[in-house]
Amino acid sequence: MGARYAANRNVDAGPGRQTSVSHLSPYIRRRLVTEAEVVAAALDAHGPDGAGKFIQEVIWRGYFKGWLEHRPSIWESYRSGLVRDLAELQENDGLRSRLEAAEGGTSGLECFDVWARELTETGYLHNHARMWFASIWIFTLRLPWRIGADFFLRNLVDGDPASNTLGWRWVAGLHTRGKAYQATASNIARFTEDRFRLRASELAAEVVPLDHEEPGGLPPLRPLREVSAPQARVPTALLITEEDCGVESFGLSGLDIQACATLAGSELRSDRPVAAAVSAFEQEALDDSVQRSGLDARRLRAAQPPALADWATEAGVRQIVTPYVPEGPLRDHLLTQLPVLERRGISLCELRRDWDRAIWPHATAGFFKVKKRIPGILRTLEMRCR
Ligand SMILES: Cc1cc2nc3c(=O)[nH]c(=O)nc-3n(C[C@H](O)[C@H](O)[C@H](O)COP(=O)(O)OP(=O)(O)OC[C@H]3O[C@@H](n4cnc5c(N)ncnc54)[C@H](O)[C@@H]3O)c2cc1C
């Protein structure tokens, strides 16, 4: 988390040799360990200057989440665009076979094929490899970016709607408008320690941002959704999802908790098959969370509605309390459940973390706006900083 991270985080020496990055993302993404905890550990070990780069990277996650909260229609348009892209595959045999080769690691471009297999076999890719892969997918192989984002989301154990969708949009030149990310042979050779030596002609010579796809520019900002505090002395059910497995840190002792359930939602990441490793990791994370909460819990699956409403009704509760569910497939699912719950007189109450409260209001434009506020954000959170 200190100087070695800052100096070497861009180096991808290959699976089993990526010793300069933390591999914490599947845990942080589900808040098995929270952003605040890793940042506090980094500050303790290295101080604000030494840990600066690591802290900045952790804050990127919050920035992307907040940015998507401000523009939920970007998530909706990703989902509907993906449906259109996949439908087109049925009509276009050439595109379908190029896509199968890309996803199966047989495109003929060595580095890309190695990364495709690494992703499906391990559920992880180094950040730099994610950038190169997405750039080659879009600009060299000329495949639809949303199907690439879907390929990542279905296979990454840390798959996250905000970081993934906006990471792909960033590479495509849709996030920082007009500025796309170009993978180059020299950069790949340097940061893979010469594992891959490509000829420049194997990669797209120029990258033209995809902003023509969205001629109207970015949608207007929406205010952050309000959350209301749960009511004490009301029969309550606690719901745990992979969006936040750290329920024990919310201090729920004032609530009349009569039932607890976990809601597994990773199957909702895509209409195409989601890797077994992703669902297995999610279930283990949820089980771990239940164990730490000390409660007995029912296991529910979002892919089997109306499991949630039936469970809450059976438990005789009046409110369901859950850590905040940000934009993404699980939020889409909960929105379909709200009318059923309402009809049964059950409210859904979300808990938002101070970490999100401190970052999200600033996540309205580019990362720079958040970056310059990092010392202030850490002070708000009462973390030691300059
Ligand atoms: C196209 C693309 C898609 C991506 N999809 C995802 C995704 O689905 N889920 C996901 O968690 N990350 C995603 N990322 C961000 C980043 O690649 C991963 O978070 C990081 O590689 C995880 O490895 P690590 O824990 O070893 O990272 P480290 O370098 O050790 O970083 C520490 C922590 O900081 C956060 N972080 C680091 N880099 C980023 C970043 N660029 N954006 C957001 N958070 C970051 C993560 O929580 C990470 O665990 C994507 C990046 C790109 C370019």
Side-chain angles (χ1 to χ4, degrees):
M1 293 171 167
R4 200 154 53 86
Y5 178 82
N8 300 323
R9 61 172 281 273
N10 280 325
V11 175
D12 179 5
R17 301 182 60 223
Q18 292 146 339
T19 50
S20 301
V21 289
S22 71
H23 283 245
L24 279 172
S25 51
Y27 305 90
I28 302 177
R29 183 257 178 268
R30 297 179 176 83
R31 288 182 163 159
L32 286 161
V33 54
T34 65
E35 291 96 326
E37 285 166 339
V38 292
V39 165
L43 285 168
D44 269 355
H46 304 285
D49 289 332
K53 191 68 197 166
F54 182 82
I55 293 171
Q56 197 178 304
E57 293 306 317
V58 173
I59 287 184
W60 264 99
R61 172 180 296 281
Y63 160 71
F64 274 152
K65 272 168 97 170
W67 195 97
L68 201 57
E69 288 296 305
H70 281 290
R71 294 183 185 81
S73 62
I74 291 286
W75 171 251
E76 287 157 29
S77 65
Y78 159 70
R79 287 296 276 224
S80 54
L82 178 61
V83 171
R84 283 196 306 278
D85 292 346
L86 291 173
E88 204 201 318
L89 280 186
Q90 304 312 316
E91 316 284 313
N92 188 334
D93 292 345
L95 179 62
R96 200 168 58 244
S97 61
R98 287 195 297 117
L99 180 76
E100 279 167 11
E103 293 189 342
T106 58
S107 75
L109 191 59
E110 189 203 353
C111 59
F112 184 89
D113 291 342
V114 167
W115 294 321
R117 287 196 291 269
E118 184 181 338
L119 172 62
T120 52
E121 284 164 17
T122 70
Y124 177 84
L125 274 188
H126 186 282
N127 180 60
H128 220 160
R130 295 183 201 207
M131 290 160 61
W132 295 318
F133 186 96
S135 180
I136 293 171
W137 177 287
I138 299 169
F139 300 111
T140 299
L141 302 180
R142 302 204 156 270
L143 291 166
W145 74 267
R146 282 176 289 249
I147 301 186
D150 181 59
F151 180 53
F152 267 26
L153 201 56
R154 292 186 297 116
N155 286 288
L156 282 171
V157 176
D158 67 21
D160 174 87
S163 289
N164 189 56
T165 313
L166 302 182
W168 276 82
R169 286 177 60 88
W170 181 86
V171 171
L174 289 166
H175 188 76
T176 310
R177 301 298 279 203
K179 201 166 158 246
Y181 175 75
Q182 181 166 20
T184 64
S186 58
N187 185 266
I188 293 173
R190 176 172 167 212
F191 288 102
T192 59
E193 298 184 327
D194 278 334
R195 280 189 299 137
F196 303 112
R197 299 182 71 86
L198 291 89
R199 291 185 305 280
S201 60
E202 288 181 275
L203 299 176
E206 59 164 356
V207 297
V208 179
L210 303 187
D211 43 10
H212 59 275
E213 277 194 8
E214 292 173 3
L218 290 172
L221 292 172
R222 191 191 75 168
L224 293 172
R225 229 159 13 89
E226 299 284 337
V227 286
S228 49
Q231 287 179 271
R233 289 186 297 280
V234 166
T236 299
L238 176 65
L239 183 69
I240 308 175
T241 74
E242 71 167 340
E243 297 308 325
D244 195 325
C245 292
V247 283
E248 75 280 8
S249 61
F250 279 101
L252 302 173
S253 56
L255 297 178
D256 178 14
I257 296 181
Q258 303 203 347
C260 175
T262 58
L263 181 65
S266 59
E267 290 164 300
L268 306 176
R269 285 184 185 191
S270 174
D271 293 340
R272 302 172 80 204
V274 171
V278 170
S279 306
F281 193 101
E282 178 193 36
Q283 195 55 59
E284 281 188 45
L286 293 171
D287 291 348
D288 181 80
S289 177
V290 169
Q291 209 173 21
R292 278 179 290 117
S293 73
L295 297 163
D296 286 329
R298 173 87 62 89
R299 276 182 175 184
L300 305 175
R301 282 175 52 207
Q304 295 174 327
L308 181 62
D310 285 353
W311 160 72
T313 309
E314 202 182 297
V317 300
R318 301 282 310 287
Q319 68 181 354
I320 297 176
V321 172
T322 191
Y324 192 85
V325 177
E327 291 303 326
L330 202 60
R331 160 121 247 116
D332 294 345
H333 169 72
L334 285 184
L335 288 178
T336 67
Q337 299 300 293
L338 278 186
V340 191
L341 290 172
E342 238 166 63
R343 277 200 298 278
R344 298 187 189 183
I346 302 166
S347 60
L348 181 72
C349 197
E350 289 173 90
L351 308 167
R352 189 176 290 166
R353 282 192 185 268
D354 292 344
W355 180 266
D356 297 334
R357 272 186 225 286
I359 296 174
W360 290 2
H362 309 300
T364 52
F367 180 68
F368 184 69
K369 193 172 162 198
V370 172
K371 185 180 161 191
K372 66 181 189 213
R373 287 187 162 84
I374 291 177
I377 289 169
L378 297 185
R379 258 196 311 276
T380 312
L381 293 162
E382 294 177 357
M383 294 181 136
R384 190 163 48 83
C385 65
R386 239 188 317 206

